[in-house]
Amino acid sequence: DTAVSQTPKYLVTQMGNDKSIKCEQNLGHDTMYWYKQDSKKFLKIMFSYNNKELIINETVPNRFSPKSPDKAHLNLHINSLELGDSAVYFCASSPYSSGNTEAFFGQGTRLTVV
Amino acid sequence: AQKVTQAQTEISVVEKEDVTLDCVYETRDTTYYLFWYKQPPSGELVFLIRRNSFDEQNEISGRYSWNFQKSTSSFNFTITASQVVDSAVYFCALSEEMDSNYQLIWGAGTKLIIKP
């Protein structure tokens, strides 16, 4: 069973479109995250949710909107896609948000905006 | 500001050589956590180790070992007798409290190439 699964794995879309990436974890964790990895492999946190509540919201354009219908799911919706949004997006989860536990990552979604 | 530096952008060695990946961090906190993750060519991020700031004991896991030294703010990772399957990008990360929540601050990663 996949612990953290995100779909789709690849997403190619045109500028201006709206797209969503879904993420689900079956680990029973309380905390979920979205990270962005750019072309230079640099990882940056975008959002963090703890029990469906937003706890970290880094400086990202408000075209990015996370939604957590329950603590096992954290989806990422992106409006009006731009070329600069092209990256790999990782979903992750951890047992809680205290910082002393490792995060488990999904396989990533490679988003290409053309 | 907290920061994680992995000065080695890319390392290339021949199989069976030992290799050390450096990680230097900056933090003002006394309580913090350090991590290493591996990202193989397939792209997923794999957790390797977690270490808290109060535990400076070095750790060995098979061919992998980690040397945590608070005096130099370093948390280096050594692979002994490297294998081609060790080829990956390795990330060091620091977790510390910010505004009542913990965040992972990532290094830029070191790309390790093991040649047969």
Side-chain angles (χ1 to χ4, degrees):
Chain A
D1 275 348
T2 304
V4 181
S5 60
Q6 50 184 114
T7 55
K9 189 170 182 181
Y10 300 98
L11 184 54
V12 181
T13 188
Q14 290 189 326
M15 273 196 307
N17 283 350
D18 303 338
K19 289 292 177 186
S20 291
I21 307 172
K22 295 186 176 180
C23 180
E24 175 181 6
Q25 54 96 2
N26 62 6
L27 298 167
H29 289 170
D30 284 349
T31 307
M32 295 186 72
Y33 312 84
W34 276 108
Y35 283 88
K36 179 180 180 180
Q37 185 174 44
D38 63 23
S39 57
K40 295 184 178 178
K41 297 285 191 181
F42 187 70
L43 273 159
K44 193 169 187 338
I45 191 166
M46 300 173 69
F47 303 103
S48 174
Y49 272 72
N50 190 57
N51 269 318
K52 302 193 298 174
E53 284 192 27
L54 180 67
I55 58 172
I56 293 175
N57 183 359
E58 286 299 294
T59 308
V60 298
N62 56 16
R63 299 181 293 103
F64 290 78
S65 53
K67 284 189 172 52
S68 183
D70 54 62
K71 76 173 192 177
H73 295 84
L74 179 62
N75 303 324
L76 183 65
H77 188 75
I78 316 170
N79 289 329
S80 303
L81 278 154
E82 300 176 358
L83 293 176
D85 297 331
S86 295
V88 180
Y89 292 84
F90 284 97
C91 176
S93 73
S94 62
Y96 32 83
S97 63
S98 69
N100 65 346
T101 61
E102 63 271 25
F104 294 80
F105 285 80
Q107 79 271 36
T109 296
R110 182 174 293 278
L111 171 65
T112 304
V113 183
V114 297
Chain B
Q2 66 280 4
K3 190 176 165 184
V4 177
T5 302
Q6 294 180 255
Q8 303 147 310
T9 306
E10 184 174 306
I11 300 174
S12 181
V13 300
V14 177
E15 201 173 20
K16 296 183 185 174
E17 286 186 21
D18 299 347
V19 58
T20 296
L21 283 60
D22 297 334
C23 175
V24 175
Y25 61 92
E26 295 176 34
T27 180
R28 293 179 188 152
D29 278 12
T30 53
T31 301
Y32 54 89
Y33 305 90
L34 295 162
F35 300 80
W36 276 95
Y37 282 84
K38 174 182 180 179
Q39 187 173 37
S42 49
E44 71 273 24
L45 282 155
V46 179
F47 165 77
L48 295 178
I49 190 172
R50 176 186 72 247
R51 180 57 89 225
N52 75 54
S53 52
F54 299 110
D55 182 3
E56 285 194 75
Q57 197 170 10
N58 291 331
E59 179 145 345
I60 299 174
S61 176
R63 296 182 298 105
Y64 294 176
S65 62
W66 290 269
N67 182 358
F68 176 29
Q69 291 199 343
K70 286 178 77 170
S71 60
T72 55
S73 297
S74 65
F75 186 40
N76 296 337
F77 172 31
T78 297
I79 302 175
T80 304
S82 60
Q83 300 176 2
V84 172
V85 293
D86 296 327
S87 297
V89 179
Y90 290 87
F91 292 94
C92 180
L94 164 71
S95 175
E96 65 172 22
E97 190 175 1
M98 291 174 63
D99 299 327
S100 303
N101 291 304
Y102 279 84
Q103 269 199 48
L104 268 180
I105 308 299
W106 295 79
T110 296
K111 184 176 184 179
L112 178 62
I113 300 169
I114 310 296
K115 299 177 183 174

